[in-house]
Amino acid sequence: MTELARIGVTGLAVMGRNLARNLARHGHPVAVHNRSYSRTKELVEEFGHEGTFFPAETAEQFVASLERPRRLVIMVKAGGPTDAVIDEFAPLLEPGDMIVDGGNAHFADTRRREAALRERGIHFVGAGISGGEEGALHGPSIMPGGSPESYEALGPLLEDISAKVDGVPCCTHVGPDGAGHFVKMVHNGIEYADMQLIAEAYDLLRRGAGMEPGEIAEVFRGWNEGRLGSYLIEITAEVLAHTDAATGKPFVDVVTDQAEQKGTGRWTVQIALDLGVPVSGIAEAVFARSLSGDAGLRTAARELPGPSGALAEPAYSLVADVEQALYASKIVAYAQGFNQIQAGSAEYGWSIDPGAMSTIWRGGCIIRAKFLDRIKQAYDAAPNLPSLLVDEYFLDAVRGAQDAWRRVVVTATQLGIPAPGFSSALAYYDGLRAERLPAALVQGQRDFFGAHTYRRVDREGAFHVLWGGDRSEVAS
Ligand SMILES: NC(=O)c1ccc[n+]([C@@H]2O[C@H](COP(=O)([O-])OP(=O)(O)OC[C@H]3O[C@@H](n4cnc5c(N)ncnc54)[C@H](OP(=O)(O)O)[C@@H]3O)[C@@H](O)[C@H]2O)c1
């Protein structure tokens, strides 16, 4: 009998190519295909020795080289290209076959595609894959959705090529239909928030404490040894320590200060608005990128008055305070992201286990961090935890950090250094712990102009004040 490929990958740009190599390196014969054949040829020429590849020039050849039930991974540009590839391959497949979309699809698209393909008996698995091109090659974090049956056939393969932490694969079945891509979206949203907080910490040390990028890199290296230890802190130190070869200046000083975005952070916030979950840390991060990118507005507003200058006192106290503020704000950002996962899970009936998500984010992905172990412990102890902030460990951490956190927000405000991540995280924290919020006044305003009614603290029911009349209260 001719040997067949165990799995196939179509779309061989950086991600698909490295994922195919990862599969081959793990001993899985892999069929490879790309719209333009040159990429397929290049892959086999360059890396053919790494395992068993079945290069295919046409969709028909590709499908014919797969063992049944067929497992086909799509790694193309999200959106229209994914639909085009599905339309090309689905007619060639049979009931029981599986299509995995490893791209950054919007989970609503994944739900639509899953439902359409289910009608034809084809399993569609939206799988979030994080870790960039290095992760795809050496072990990403994989977040597959789709049916439990499809996970039975795909899970062992995906777990095999995923990152491992303490021998545990960074891959698990997230939940049905779009659950995997939803969780990947929130992962990216948290990544935005985490990066923004780190950037604010840098800005405070640079402009507030007057430190040079090289010195700040050392601070980040130190932090990476402690509770903040994470991939993002580690690479921040690398970036800050880097010198531009052409000018001899710190690399960070020759890069344009306009952050770009591909859209997953924006989607996270859009969906959070629909679900009514305050993900202020992620929203501030998305808006901070938008503000940075609006060069015209920034030029027009450059002369706005305000303080600018460094602290008079020694830097060391600010460094220690910023570490505390960063940790506390990071806890808030993750707490908000996990609340969004819980809300999405409830809305779509996905039964996502938040502890399992923190487990598969411990390695391979961009937000991998020491403290994900703590998050896992928190959800293991209380699967329905209303917020990470009320878990004993995180509560203690924030209790210990909060004086410094408040000082950092005050210092940033006084120096005129924007710290929307730190300050919005603190506002969220104070909002949660407030005994009374001014929302009572908002309800009064809503009743005044729109007769929207309000509820009372002392009686059941909805009420309205006759604002335009004798201002008596009526039950509505
Ligand atoms: N790059 C990352 O770090 C990263 C991380 C996680 C997830 N992702 C996601 O992974 C997916 C792949 O990313 P990537 O960076 O490797 O590639 P990409 O630049 O997003 O896409 C390029 C690939 O898509 C194919 N393609 C585009 N339009 C097509 C169409 N209409 N029909 C068939 N094929 C089409 C291209 O084929 P041709 O060669 O013929 O042009 C090429 O193989 C994306 O969804 C991306 O968002 C990327």
Side-chain angles (χ1 to χ4, degrees):
M1 205 178 88
T2 342
E3 201 199 343
L4 292 171
R6 195 164 296 152
I7 190 163
V9 178
T10 181
L12 301 175
V14 283
M15 289 296 286
R17 183 175 73 155
N18 282 357
L19 207 64
R21 289 175 60 198
N22 188 350
L23 284 158
R25 287 170 168 201
H26 279 84
H28 305 295
V30 57
V32 284
H33 171 267
N34 192 68
R35 176 178 61 177
S36 27
Y37 186 60
S38 55
R39 280 196 206 268
T40 315
K41 232 173 109 213
E42 270 167 35
L43 164 57
V44 178
E45 275 167 13
E46 234 178 298
F47 304 107
H49 60 279
E50 291 184 340
T52 310
F53 292 94
F54 291 75
E57 207 161 346
T58 66
E60 288 76 10
Q61 279 173 6
F62 179 61
V63 169
S65 64
L66 294 170
E67 67 180 32
R68 290 187 168 85
R70 300 179 182 93
R71 304 177 185 94
L72 186 162
V73 180
I74 302 178
M75 286 305 290
V76 302
K77 238 180 234 319
T82 305
D83 281 318
V85 173
I86 293 171
D87 290 346
E88 186 181 4
F89 284 98
L92 307 174
L93 301 179
E94 292 167 354
D97 288 347
M98 287 153 264
I99 298 180
V100 180
D101 174 16
N104 268 337
H106 193 292
F107 79 96
D109 285 337
T110 302
R111 282 167 64 78
R112 166 178 62 76
R113 291 168 183 149
E114 196 274 340
L117 287 164
R118 194 174 348 119
E119 299 230 314
R120 301 158 78 160
I122 297 168
H123 297 282
F124 184 72
V125 176
I129 300 183
S130 177
E133 53 180 304
E134 280 298 295
L137 183 60
H138 300 293
S141 171
I142 311 181
M143 299 151 245
S147 65
E149 303 94 278
S150 64
Y151 195 77
E152 270 175 39
L154 278 164
L157 270 175
L158 298 180
E159 289 179 15
D160 196 27
I161 62 159
S162 73
K164 314 281 181 306
V165 175
D166 305 331
V168 179
C170 294
C171 172
T172 193
H173 184 227
V174 175
D177 60 77
H181 274 141
F182 183 91
V183 163
K184 171 64 174 22
M185 174 189 77
V186 177
H187 163 285
N188 284 25
I190 293 174
E191 176 186 308
Y192 272 58
D194 210 340
M195 291 168 71
Q196 172 65 21
L197 293 171
I198 291 172
E200 290 177 19
Y202 155 73
D203 206 15
L204 277 156
L205 299 187
R206 184 84 193 266
R207 293 204 280 154
M211 295 168 73
E212 289 304 315
E215 290 176 87
I216 304 173
E218 284 310 311
V219 169
F220 275 93
R221 282 202 181 110
W223 288 352
N224 197 42
E225 298 304 313
R227 60 186 181 169
L228 279 168
S230 60
Y231 174 70
L232 283 171
I233 294 280
E234 183 191 326
I235 65 162
T236 301
E238 295 289 320
V239 173
L240 288 174
H242 186 58
T243 303
D244 175 51
T247 59
K249 290 183 181 170
F251 167 76
V252 73
D253 287 349
V254 300
V255 177
T256 314
D257 64 344
Q258 295 174 22
E260 297 179 8
Q261 46 189 319
K262 281 194 171 168
T264 42
R266 186 169 56 235
W267 290 349
T268 313
V269 178
Q270 285 168 340
I271 301 304
L273 291 172
D274 291 341
L275 291 168
V277 183
V279 291
S280 47
I282 303 171
E284 290 295 354
V286 173
F287 288 138
R289 288 198 194 187
S290 306
L291 187 150
S292 78
D294 196 337
L297 177 62
R298 288 176 61 195
T299 304
R302 183 71 25 92
E303 300 306 321
L304 289 177
S308 64
L311 277 178
E313 68 242 48
Y316 65 84
S317 61
L318 186 62
V319 173
D321 277 4
V322 168
E323 192 271 345
Q324 299 272 12
L326 182 53
Y327 196 59
S329 303
K330 186 168 158 137
I331 293 170
V332 168
Y334 281 68
Q336 293 179 338
F338 274 88
N339 279 357
Q340 182 167 1
I341 290 176
Q342 287 172 310
S345 178
E347 173 74 15
Y348 297 104
W350 286 328
S351 304
I352 298 174
D353 170 3
M357 297 309 103
S358 53
T359 303
I360 65 170
W361 288 349
R362 292 184 310 162
C365 67
I366 306 298
I367 64 170
R368 59 186 184 260
K370 269 184 201 155
F371 100 142
L372 283 158
D373 273 327
R374 296 286 187 182
I375 298 181
K376 177 173 162 37
Q377 285 160 16
Y379 283 114
D380 280 351
N384 295 318
L385 197 64
S387 168
L388 280 177
L389 284 161
V390 302
D391 165 75
E392 208 175 319
Y393 168 80
F394 291 114
L395 186 64
D396 271 354
V398 175
R399 186 184 288 125
Q402 75 165 288
D403 288 348
W405 191 11
R406 292 180 194 283
R407 279 196 298 272
V408 166
V409 171
V410 169
T411 301
T413 309
Q414 283 173 340
L415 295 178
I417 298 173
F422 287 161
S423 55
S424 76
L426 185 55
Y428 175 84
Y429 175 79
D430 283 334
L432 285 188
R433 65 186 200 90
E435 199 181 321
R436 290 276 296 161
L437 286 168
L441 176 59
V442 172
Q443 282 299 87
Q445 293 164 331
R446 293 179 71 244
D447 188 58
F448 190 103
F449 66 69
H452 291 302
T453 76
Y454 54 90
R455 282 175 290 112
R456 295 183 56 102
V457 296
D458 54 359
R459 265 181 284 144
E460 287 296 312
F463 300 91
H464 168 59
V465 168
L466 300 173
W467 296 103
D470 65 359
R471 302 212 163 177
S472 58
E473 182 179 75
V474 291
S476 82

